[in-house]
Amino acid sequence: MNDRIRVSEVRLVGPNGETVGIVPTGDALRLAQEAELDLVEIAPTARPPVCKLMDYGKFKYENAQKARDARRNQTNVVIKEMKLRPKIDSHDYDTKKGHVVRFLRAGDKVKITIMFRGREQHRPELGFRLLQRLAEDVDDLGFVESAPKQDGRNMTMVLGPHRKKAEAKVEMAAEKETRAAERLQDEAEERAVREAQRGDGPVAQKKTRGRSENLDPEIDA
């Protein structure tokens, strides 16, 4: 950049991307100084090297902003795992299925593992039917990305979410805001009911007490 460019001539590109042509490096530096810009080498292996007139500080700042935005929007693929037994009872199955639903709604993949023990290894159809049942129960949220396959004492299947991670995050954030707003509204309504039950509000003016009939009429009020 600038005085560090040692070649005798460069192929110069203007600040708006226009081609100036091959010029002596000294002339290119002079043009950069007159425009209050930097002369930056952008293709050092070319013959002659390609240099561009630019505000190098602004260029670095904009690149840093783009990199930051890219990192913010980057989504990492997460694979959750759920393990089941082929003879799982209905209550445990519902609990495990609830976890799978939560993972898929969050945009994560789920690896389902059926663990066989003892004689269960000779009944792989039990695990296959269980995996099919689970896939059907959550088909509105996910799909079978990797079909069931036997792996030693285990049988595995991978479910993929229908929605991307970023979309799931946006929807979950919106749902969270909606629940928060509903909770605030419920609390306000409950507070209003309690205040009404306590009789809160403007205090009624005390009623003026009249003369009692048993007072001596000779005594002035």
Side-chain angles (χ1 to χ4, degrees), residues 173-187:
E175 291 178 355
K176 185 177 180 180
E177 291 180 359
T178 301
R179 289 195 300 268
E182 291 175 349
R183 185 169 60 251
L184 290 175
Q185 183 177 356
D186 291 341
E187 290 175 355

Side-chain angles (χ1 to χ4, degrees), residues 4-159:
R4 294 183 179 181
I5 301 174
R6 301 300 184 185
V7 295
S8 59
E9 60 183 15
V10 297
R11 187 179 299 276
L12 186 62
V13 177
N16 297 318
E18 68 277 13
T19 300
V20 177
I22 299 176
V23 299
T25 303
D27 293 346
L29 287 170
R30 178 177 52 79
L31 290 173
Q33 291 173 355
E34 290 176 353
E36 297 184 348
L37 296 173
D38 298 300
L39 182 65
V40 181
E41 198 175 56
I42 59 175
T45 58
R47 290 292 178 267
V50 180
C51 294
K52 184 177 181 180
L53 299 175
M54 68 170 69
D55 184 337
Y56 188 65
K58 181 180 179 182
F59 172 76
K60 286 183 64 177
Y61 173 77
E62 290 177 348
N63 275 2
Q65 286 290 97
K66 290 178 182 178
R68 190 179 299 113
D69 292 340
R71 287 194 299 270
R72 187 181 300 117
N73 296 328
Q74 182 179 3
T75 56
N76 297 321
V77 177
V78 177
I79 299 181
K80 304 290 187 178
E81 185 172 11
M82 188 59 55
K83 297 181 179 180
L84 296 82
R85 293 293 309 282
K87 295 181 179 180
I88 188 172
D89 62 49
S90 59
H91 175 73
D92 288 341
Y93 173 81
D94 290 338
T95 301
K96 300 280 187 177
K97 184 182 72 174
H99 293 316
V100 174
V101 167
R102 188 174 76 253
F103 295 148
L104 292 174
R105 289 193 64 196
D108 296 323
K109 296 182 181 182
V110 188
K111 178 182 178 181
I112 312 298
T113 301
I114 305 295
M115 301 179 298
F116 297 96
R117 293 180 183 175
R119 296 181 180 179
E120 293 174 349
Q121 299 178 59
H122 303 293
R123 301 288 305 279
E125 68 277 6
L126 296 177
F128 184 77
R129 285 201 296 264
L130 182 58
L131 291 176
Q132 278 190 319
R133 174 187 173 189
L134 181 60
E136 292 172 358
D137 287 346
V138 298
D139 63 350
D140 57 329
L141 297 172
F143 62 95
V144 178
E145 186 174 286
S146 178
K149 62 180 180 180
Q150 189 79 25
D151 183 15
R153 295 185 176 183
N154 299 329
M155 181 177 288
T156 61
M157 177 182 72
V158 177
L159 296 174

